[in-house]
Amino acid sequence: WQPEVYVNLTSLLTRSWNGLLSKTKSKSEREASVNELVVIMEINQRFRSAPEYDTALATAAGACDGDFVTTLMGHLETTAEEEHDFLRNTLHWLYAQVPSYRSTLRHQIGHMLLQFSRYPNKRVAVGPVLEVLGHIVHGFTAPLTRTHRELFTTVILPLHTPNTFYEWRDQLPLLQTYHEPLVFVLLAFLEKEKEDEGQANGQTNASASAGAGVRSVVGLPLMDAIVRTLVQVWPEGHKSNTAKEVLLLHEYEMMVAVMDGPTFHRTLGIILPKIVSCIASDNWRLCEKVLSLWRSDHFVKLMSSDTAQAHLFLPPIMRALLRGGKPHWNPTVRRMTVLVLEALRTIDAQTFNATAAAQWGARAADKKKGTGALPTAQGASSSSSSSSS
């Protein structure tokens, strides 16, 4: 292909993007521009996937110059959802095929995401950018550098902050529009940190204690930061947002899937108040989501991995589950409550029975006149089961 072919393809694309920014067009003219852009994007996509496409020639001809990169990143901040697939593929292709722009792209991606976390705007294509960033993170060389960790703490984690809705009518949180690729990026960072830990442990084989010291320093901070961020951005009071809370619980569930026992018990203390609050909620969506954590064998196994910690988490969880003897109004939540109580009893029967006895004893003390025998400690879960039926 002649160099002019590459230049014309890029020019058509950038002119169409810039044309959409015009505020003087009528509604019909704007619709025509959108339809034209769809065709142009399809042409560009097909040309780039053709075996005859020569990226080096396109770059030398000026088709993939700095102006195109700037226009692409600018358009990512004002794009329509229908363009997301094309923009993601274009950004990924540009990063993979034109190495000279990688530093510029990383800088502009970081700046765009940072601005979004401060000034959320539903027109910004955060999801596609995070999908590309996840692949970039997978390509980082271990160990993670200070710059990588700053990207994680100052750019990625603040993306949890927005508490607005993308569509108020459908109660769709803005966070939900890019939450899946955000979790993808978090897991990519955790995987790299695990590689750091493996390398560090491999370099310190002198003694088991030395290896344990490296493990405690190198392999854990990112997970702590994630769980603390979930707690910090949790919507409460007049900012309550059930849909966002469900998303945060889902993210915690995804993080638990890659935790080991020590990490789980260390971070459980951070998020436990939120878990207890959701269990005690009258909102059935929150209750179902948080109780579904116990459906995971891995979650139950982690809770059982250190019974010495059971006295710290069992009592508050059980108090929330038992609700002072007043079952939840939702039958599904009641059934799930019984299953969770049974799982908690298997973790530490002694603490379970003591907590149940204290719970029912406090209830009995509050009743000045009793009309019948209260359930025994061992019958706490069975009484919940009968109320659910």
Side-chain angles (χ1 to χ4, degrees):
W1 297 345
Q2 295 298 315
E4 292 79 7
V5 174
Y6 301 100
V7 174
N8 290 337
L9 283 171
T10 304
S11 297
L12 280 172
L13 186 59
T14 53
R15 279 204 302 268
S16 295
W17 283 341
N18 293 330
L20 291 176
L21 299 176
S22 176
K23 297 181 180 180
T24 60
K25 289 185 176 182
S26 64
K27 184 178 179 180
S28 59
E29 290 175 331
R30 187 169 184 80
E31 289 177 353
S33 296
V34 170
N35 293 333
E36 178 184 296
L37 177 59
V38 171
V39 175
I40 293 173
M41 289 192 300
E42 179 67 21
I43 293 173
N44 270 269
Q45 186 71 43
R46 288 179 178 273
F47 266 84
R48 277 207 305 267
S49 60
E52 297 85 0
Y53 194 95
D54 189 336
T55 304
L57 180 57
T59 305
C64 303
D65 57 6
D67 290 338
F68 176 70
V69 173
T70 302
T71 303
L72 171 64
M73 297 305 300
H75 190 64
L76 283 165
E77 299 182 12
T78 59
T79 185
E81 189 174 353
E82 293 76 13
E83 301 176 52
H84 283 188
D85 287 345
F86 174 78
L87 293 172
R88 179 196 61 235
N89 294 338
T90 300
L91 186 59
H92 191 279
W93 167 81
L94 194 61
Y95 190 89
Q97 299 297 324
V98 191
S100 59
Y101 287 133
R102 289 179 181 176
S103 177
T104 301
L105 287 171
R106 287 195 298 267
H107 174 76
Q108 295 199 24
I109 287 174
H111 178 73
M112 185 188 108
L113 295 177
L114 184 61
Q115 288 297 107
F116 174 84
S117 65
R118 294 174 178 173
Y119 311 103
N121 182 345
K122 67 180 185 179
R123 295 285 292 179
V124 180
V126 179
V129 172
L130 286 174
E131 289 185 54
V132 175
L133 181 59
H135 292 290
I136 293 175
V137 173
H138 276 297
F140 286 168
T141 303
L144 291 173
T145 65
R146 180 178 178 180
T147 301
H148 295 155
R149 293 180 181 273
E150 287 180 352
L151 170 67
F152 181 83
T153 56
T154 63
V155 176
I156 303 304
L157 292 183
L159 292 175
H160 293 86
T161 304
N163 194 36
T164 55
F165 286 93
Y166 183 82
E167 286 290 348
W168 173 263
R169 178 188 60 190
D170 300 327
Q171 292 291 285
L172 176 65
L174 182 59
L175 176 61
Q176 187 170 333
T177 61
Y178 59 86
H179 190 247
E180 185 176 345
L182 175 59
V183 173
F184 174 60
V185 173
L186 295 176
L187 292 175
F189 269 102
L190 291 171
E191 185 177 325
K192 284 298 170 183
E193 188 179 49
K194 188 175 181 180
E195 291 180 16
D196 292 356
E197 180 184 358
Q199 289 186 6
N201 286 337
Q203 294 171 0
T204 54
N205 291 326
S207 67
S209 60
V214 172
R215 182 183 184 86
S216 65
V217 174
V218 177
L220 305 176
L222 295 189
M223 185 64 80
D224 284 34
I226 293 172
V227 176
R228 290 185 184 279
T229 298
L230 296 181
V231 173
Q232 291 169 0
V233 303
W234 207 280
E236 295 179 317
H238 69 282
K239 295 182 178 180
S240 61
N241 183 336
T242 299
K244 182 177 179 180
E245 290 181 79
V246 171
L247 283 177
L248 297 180
L249 285 170
H250 173 68
E251 182 171 332
Y252 176 68
E253 185 178 16
M254 297 290 288
M255 295 302 110
V256 167
V258 297
M259 288 184 189
D260 58 12
T263 305
F264 173 79
H265 285 285
R266 190 183 63 256
T267 56
L268 179 61
I270 301 171
I271 201 170
L272 183 60
K274 301 303 179 186
I275 292 177
V276 170
S277 176
C278 291
I279 292 174
S281 173
D282 289 329
N283 188 304
W284 67 271
R285 289 183 61 195
L286 276 182
C287 287
E288 282 194 12
K289 185 60 185 177
V290 71
L291 293 177
S292 68
L293 289 171
W294 277 268
R295 289 179 176 173
S296 167
D297 292 338
H298 182 63
F299 182 78
V300 176
K301 183 179 179 181
L302 288 176
M303 294 196 84
S304 307
S305 63
D306 188 356
T307 54
Q309 301 290 325
H311 71 283
L312 299 176
F313 61 81
L314 272 183
I317 292 176
M318 286 186 61
R319 283 194 293 268
L321 287 168
L322 295 174
R323 297 173 174 271
K326 299 178 181 178
H328 196 279
W329 62 270
N330 185 279
T332 302
V333 172
R334 291 201 298 269
R335 288 191 292 270
M336 295 178 72
T337 298
V338 173
L339 296 176
V340 172
L341 284 170
E342 291 174 354
L344 293 177
R345 176 182 286 175
T346 64
I347 292 173
D348 187 340
Q350 184 178 355
T351 303
F352 179 92
N353 291 332
T355 304
Q359 179 75 5
W360 296 122
R363 183 186 174 199
D366 291 339
K367 300 181 76 173
K368 295 181 179 179
K369 293 183 179 181
T371 58
L374 289 169
T376 63
Q378 288 77 9
S381 61
S382 61
S383 66
S384 296
S385 177
S386 62
S387 66
S388 68
S389 60

